[in-house]
């Protein structure tokens, strides 16, 4: 099959055996016409194999002059290092660059030529063999950058033809030629049938990323073409079967369903951790059944909504690639989950699955199409598309499939926008109380589900099932999603505008603050108005308390006092009596203290003076000092 990749992931030995078993099948190289207009000696039409990267001009042609560099003839190095430019001068024909096959990737040769101005690249085969498809490589980080940025067309030519071209160029002849893609896609009628061989695995590297980006980018155009019956689209998924001798092996059990009949490679190429290949097969099967259910309902374009939403909501890297997440997407789009599950059948049954069996049969080439072995693969009017999987390039290929003068206006204009939010709100969140408050945003590429900005407040959530106001001012937007109610001109709210998404029932109420807040009966629960003279009446959010007789209720102290002024005066008299009594008591205590202090001081003075002189009332104090003996 030559130098083309066989999928978005490396083929393990097991799956290679499965593919070899399809020996009756064939791989068809998609060709375009290469016409030499001069010199006369080699004038004529030749076949060339369209490269599976870059942007072929489907439905059109491109004329130019061929050059063959004297240095860096394989194009594996930067042409700028050799001070070479292929930029055509104003008014002159575009320059096509011919490089030799070998030593580096096809895509790198084309990229190096594009960077210095080449309009197209012809790769000269170095073997005498039938034409093969130049596929983009299994990209790593270094190649992913430039493969995505290749925008010029490329083609592989046979060795014998390239030698004729080189001979003329070396002889000083000007070689003029044109690449013609007008017949690359059949265009029999006013409707285009196309199919996309895809995969739900989102962890297979650059090609998976490219596929996922294309699905989101092309969805809007695909849906408008389908809605207006310009096209008939069918998705397909590649599976392989496990040889009977290996159905009980660990590899087959982890990669296959239905006892080895339908398999996919392990996403991480690690049988001990992460997701298994059978997880991918089951989700592929689910997506096929989503298409069938949508088609049965007359809305086959809903498949595009499901696969793009599943990518966003259920990625492998977030461990959400599972049945529960898939069901939430299906429900948001209004599809019949029971019908889809019935279509999928039992993955553990030791029997054929009708849906996947059809897919394996469709994978084998019929007529001019050939086998589908490259993932992703687009087939337009039973002809495999070659080139970059990008919106503009694919739209050109589809439009090339219409019979002349029957092309829809979408093919004659770049304006192909449609409002995806008008039906089922695009499967996004919507405030049921406010039809204008929605997370659905119509875009050129389709629609996205993003929580809106309302009155300066950014709603937060996943955009599909929930959007709620958070931060300052949140209570101004739908009351922050909290409970609120008005009665008799009085409004109560559970929204707490403190910068947090918090709902709390106000005083006098209890509840979750979101769905309900119920009035507390303070009288019945004996929370207030409990004095003996009190009479309690419950109100909404509060209570009324009255006192018997001429008493007045003091709410802060939950007590009753008399309303009459005399009572008040008596109370003040009693207050003054107490105050005067306290003052007298304090004065008496002070006098006692002063008397005791003075008596104590007198006794101390008397004692000191008695040591030096006898008092009238006191005898002579004996002298305790001993006299010296002479």
């Amino acid at each position: 099959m030559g130098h083309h990749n066989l999928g978005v992931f490396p083929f393990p030995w097991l799956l290679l055996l499965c593919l070899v078993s399809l020996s009756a099948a064939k791989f068809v190289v998609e060709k375009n016409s290469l016409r030499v207009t001069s010199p006369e000696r080699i004038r004529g039409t030749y076949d060339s194999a369209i490269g599976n990267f870059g942007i072929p001009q489907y439905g059109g042609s491109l004329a130019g002059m061929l050059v063959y560099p004297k240095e860096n003839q394989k194009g594996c190095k930067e042409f700028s290092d050799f001070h070479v430019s292929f930029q055509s001068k104003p008014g002159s024909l575009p320059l096509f660059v011919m490089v030799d096959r070998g030593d580096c990737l096809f895509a790198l040769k084309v990229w190096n030529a594009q960077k210095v101005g080449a309009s197209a690249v012809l790769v000269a085969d170095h073997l005498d063999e039938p034409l093969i498809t130049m596929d983009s490589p299994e990209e790593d980080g270094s190649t992913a950058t430039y493969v995505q940025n290749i925008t010029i067309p490329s083609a592989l030519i046979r060795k014998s033809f390239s030698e004729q071209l080189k001979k003329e160029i070396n002889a000083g002849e000007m070689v003029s030629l044109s690449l013609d893609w007008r017949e690359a896609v059949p265009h029999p009628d006013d409707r285009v049938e196309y199919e996309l061989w895809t995969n739900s695995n989102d962890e297979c590297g650059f090609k998976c990323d490219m596929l996922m980006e294309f699905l989101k980018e092309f969805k809007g155009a695909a849906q408008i073409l389908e809605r207006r019956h310009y096209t008939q689209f069918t998705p397909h998924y590649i599976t392989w079967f496990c040889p009977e001798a290996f159905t009980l092996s660990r590899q087959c059990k982890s990669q296959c369903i239905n006892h080895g009949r339908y398999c996919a490679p392990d996403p991480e190429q690690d049988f001990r951790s992460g997701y298994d290949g059978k997880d991918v097969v089951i989700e592929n099967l689910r997506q096929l059944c989503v298409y069938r259910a949508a088609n049965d309902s007359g809305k086959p374009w809903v498949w595009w909504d499901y696969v793009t939403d599943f990518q966003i909501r259920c990625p492998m890297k977030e461990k959400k690639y599972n049945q529960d997440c898939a069901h939430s997407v299906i429900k948001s789009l209004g599809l019949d989950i029971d019908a889809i599950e019935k279509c999928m059948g039992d993955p553990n049954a030791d029997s054929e699955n009708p849906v996947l069996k059809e897919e394996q049969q469709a994978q084998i080439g019929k007529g001019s199409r050939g086998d589908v072995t490259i993932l992703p693969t687009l087939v337009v009017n039973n002809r495999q598309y070659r080139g970059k999987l990008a919106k503009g390039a694919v739209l050109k290929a589809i439009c090339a499939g219409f019979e002349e003068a029957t092309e829809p206006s979408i093919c004659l204009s770049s304006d192909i926008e449609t409002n995806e939010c008008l039906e089922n709100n695009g499967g996004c969140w919507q405030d049921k109380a406010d039809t204008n408050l929605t997370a659905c945003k119509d875009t050129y590429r389709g629609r996205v589900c993003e929580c809106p900005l309302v009155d300066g407040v950014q709603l937060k959530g996943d955009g599909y099932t929930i959007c709620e106001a958070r931060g300052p001012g949140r209570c101004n937007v739908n009351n922050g999603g909290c409970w609120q109610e008005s009665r008799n001109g009085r409004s109560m709210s559970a929204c707490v505008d403190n910068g947090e998404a918090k709902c709390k029932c106000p005083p006098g109420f209890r509840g979750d603050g979101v769905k309900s807040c119920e009035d507390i009966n303070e009288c019945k629960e004996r929370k207030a108005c409990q004095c003996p003279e009190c009479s309690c009446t419950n109100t909404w959010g509060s209570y009324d308390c009255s006192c018997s007789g001429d008493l007045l209720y003091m709410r802060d102290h939950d007590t009753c006092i008399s309303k009459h002024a005399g009572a008040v005066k008596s109370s003040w008299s009693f207050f003054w009596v107490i105050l005067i009594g306290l003052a007298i008591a304090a004065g008496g205590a002070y006098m006692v203290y002063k008397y005791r202090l003075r008596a104590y001081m007198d006794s101390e003075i008397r004692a000191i003076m008695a040591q030096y002189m006898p008092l009238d009332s006191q005898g002579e104090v004996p002298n305790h000092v001993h006299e010296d003996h002479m």
Side-chain angles (χ1 to χ4, degrees):
M1 291 187 183
H3 188 73
H4 51 265
N5 289 325
L6 297 179
V8 295
F9 22 66
F11 264 54
W13 63 271
L14 171 62
L15 299 185
L16 185 59
L17 286 175
C18 303
L19 190 63
V20 170
S21 67
L22 302 175
S23 57
K26 58 181 180 178
F27 180 83
V28 174
V29 175
E30 300 301 334
K31 303 175 183 178
N32 65 313
S33 176
L34 190 157
R35 181 175 179 80
V36 177
T37 55
S38 69
E40 187 67 29
R41 286 184 298 274
I42 59 171
R43 184 175 181 177
T45 301
Y46 303 84
D47 282 338
S48 61
I50 305 172
N52 199 30
F53 45 83
I55 303 179
Q57 303 298 316
Y58 280 99
S61 62
L62 180 65
M65 185 174 69
L66 186 66
V67 296
Y68 181 56
K70 295 181 179 181
E71 298 178 286
N72 193 29
Q73 292 179 334
K74 291 185 177 180
C76 294
K77 299 179 181 179
E78 297 270 357
F79 283 101
S80 58
D81 293 343
F82 300 89
H83 306 288
V84 174
S85 174
F86 301 123
Q87 188 70 50
S88 58
K89 297 179 181 180
S92 63
L93 287 172
L95 293 182
F96 294 179
V97 178
M98 180 168 60
V99 295
D100 294 327
R101 181 181 175 184
D103 291 355
C104 63
L105 299 170
F106 290 131
L108 180 59
K109 299 173 185 287
V110 178
W111 174 241
N112 285 338
Q114 176 182 306
K115 285 194 294 183
V116 290
S119 297
V121 173
L122 300 181
V123 179
D125 204 343
H126 61 323
L127 300 173
D128 288 316
E129 62 177 359
L131 291 172
I132 65 171
T133 295
M134 301 188 301
D135 192 20
S136 55
E138 293 294 342
E139 292 83 356
D140 54 24
S142 62
T143 60
T145 302
Y146 70 77
V147 171
Q148 271 289 75
N149 292 322
I150 295 175
T151 57
I152 62 174
S154 60
L156 181 73
I157 59 176
R158 288 189 173 93
K159 180 182 178 182
S160 57
F161 177 45
S162 69
E163 289 176 346
Q164 289 180 282
L165 294 173
K166 293 175 185 177
K167 182 179 179 180
E168 297 297 332
I169 292 173
N170 291 334
E173 294 287 346
M174 185 180 76
V175 178
S176 299
L177 48 79
S178 65
L179 290 171
D180 192 340
W181 295 270
R182 285 176 292 185
E183 299 301 323
V185 177
H187 43 94
D189 52 34
D190 61 354
R191 191 179 75 165
V192 172
E193 290 82 29
Y194 74 106
E195 55 194 51
L196 178 65
W197 290 82
T198 181
N199 187 42
S200 63
N201 180 5
D202 59 9
E203 286 293 304
C204 64
F206 171 75
K207 280 200 172 181
C208 279
D209 295 339
M210 177 190 68
L211 174 61
M212 302 306 171
E213 185 62 28
F214 167 73
L215 290 171
K216 291 187 289 187
E217 183 182 45
F218 194 68
K219 183 181 77 168
Q223 290 183 323
I224 194 171
L225 286 169
E226 199 75 4
R227 286 172 183 268
R228 299 179 183 178
H229 307 290
Y230 293 129
T231 60
Q232 179 178 315
F233 168 74
T234 308
H236 288 291
Y237 296 79
I238 289 181
T239 60
W240 295 269
F241 62 85
C242 179
E244 187 174 352
F246 300 98
T247 54
L248 298 180
S249 67
R250 185 178 67 174
Q251 291 90 338
C252 281
K253 286 184 176 180
S254 68
Q255 296 184 99
C256 309
I257 66 173
N258 292 86
H259 289 249
R261 289 176 172 85
Y262 314 102
C263 312
D266 187 284
E268 302 89 3
Q269 297 297 305
D270 185 351
F271 299 116
R272 295 168 297 180
S273 63
Y275 287 98
D276 295 325
K278 64 183 180 182
D279 297 321
V280 177
V281 179
I282 290 173
E283 179 54 33
N284 288 348
L285 175 58
R286 181 177 289 110
Q287 294 189 6
L288 284 166
C289 289
V290 164
Y291 172 77
R292 293 193 174 199
N295 194 43
D296 290 344
S297 68
K299 300 175 181 178
W301 51 84
V302 175
W303 176 88
W304 291 88
D305 290 319
Y306 176 81
V307 295
T308 52
D309 287 359
F310 185 83
Q311 292 170 22
I312 297 170
R313 300 175 64 178
C314 313
M316 285 183 175
K317 60 185 176 183
E318 295 181 13
K319 308 301 181 186
K320 295 180 180 179
Y321 186 93
N322 54 48
Q323 176 179 285
D324 290 341
C325 191
H327 281 184
S328 68
V329 178
I330 292 171
K331 185 177 180 181
S332 71
L333 296 174
L335 296 172
D336 189 340
I337 293 179
D338 292 336
I340 292 170
E341 291 296 315
K342 182 178 180 181
C343 167
M344 292 177 65
D346 181 7
N348 297 315
D350 187 8
S351 60
E352 296 282 1
N353 181 292
V355 177
L356 292 178
K357 184 176 181 180
E358 286 185 22
E359 291 299 290
Q360 287 187 341
Q361 293 172 343
Q363 184 180 340
I364 301 172
K366 297 177 179 64
S368 61
R369 191 203 71 186
D371 303 338
V372 176
T373 58
I374 299 174
L375 276 177
T377 288
L378 183 75
V379 179
V380 181
N381 284 352
N382 209 39
R383 188 73 59 83
Q384 291 191 33
Y385 165 86
R386 293 288 179 257
K388 182 179 180 180
L389 202 63
K391 178 182 176 180
V394 169
L395 191 57
K396 284 183 179 180
I398 291 176
C399 290
F402 289 100
E403 184 181 6
E404 287 186 72
T406 67
E407 302 95 339
S409 58
I410 190 173
C411 292
L412 307 175
S413 171
S414 60
D415 185 13
I416 55 174
E417 184 182 352
T418 181
N419 192 340
E420 300 296 324
C421 297
L422 296 179
E423 184 172 346
N424 196 34
N425 198 49
C428 305
W429 172 88
Q430 184 179 28
D431 183 7
K432 302 300 183 183
D434 184 354
T435 57
N436 293 322
L437 197 57
T438 172
C440 189
K441 290 184 178 180
D442 184 42
T443 68
Y444 181 81
R445 297 178 178 178
R447 70 94 177 91
V448 294
C449 296
E450 294 180 353
C451 294
L453 179 70
V454 181
D455 296 334
V457 179
Q458 179 63 59
L459 273 61
K460 302 290 185 179
D462 61 9
Y464 295 92
T465 58
I466 186 172
C467 285
E468 57 184 7
R470 299 175 187 173
R474 57 182 289 269
C475 295
N476 297 328
V477 181
N478 194 27
N479 199 51
C482 303
W483 170 88
Q484 65 176 346
E485 188 174 345
S486 298
R487 290 186 185 181
N488 301 322
R490 185 184 183 193
S491 296
M492 304 297 292
S493 169
C495 186
V496 181
D497 196 356
N498 58 358
E500 299 179 358
K502 186 176 181 181
C503 298
K504 182 180 180 181
C505 290
F509 294 86
R510 70 164 61 96
D512 60 12
V514 178
K515 295 182 179 180
S516 67
C517 286
E518 297 180 356
D519 173 58
I520 298 174
N521 191 330
E522 292 86 351
C523 302
K524 184 177 181 180
E525 295 183 11
R526 305 183 68 81
K527 292 181 178 293
C529 197
Q530 297 302 308
C531 55
E533 304 86 1
C534 295
S535 176
C536 188
T537 303
N538 186 57
T539 63
W540 185 64
S542 186
Y543 64 93
D544 287 332
C545 189
S546 60
C547 298
S548 60
D550 293 333
L551 299 179
L552 178 67
Y553 178 68
M554 301 294 289
R555 193 180 188 93
D556 293 340
H557 302 284
D558 194 30
T559 188
C560 293
I561 64 172
S562 175
K563 297 180 181 180
H564 298 294
V568 175
K569 184 176 180 180
S570 175
S571 297
W572 277 107
S573 300
F574 179 73
F575 170 78
W576 283 112
V577 168
I578 294 176
L579 184 62
I580 293 171
L582 289 174
I584 293 173
Y590 175 75
M591 295 300 293
V592 171
Y593 166 78
K594 188 173 180 180
Y595 174 78
R596 293 188 63 185
L597 179 62
R598 183 167 184 172
Y600 172 78
M601 293 298 294
D602 287 345
S603 66
E604 287 294 312
I605 293 171
R606 288 168 66 88
I608 293 170
M609 293 180 67
Q611 295 181 21
Y612 297 98
M613 66 181 64
L615 301 178
D616 294 339
S617 59
Q618 185 178 5
E620 185 175 339
V621 178
N623 187 356
H624 296 288
V625 180
H626 297 286
E627 296 179 351
D628 294 335
H629 296 282
M630 300 301 294

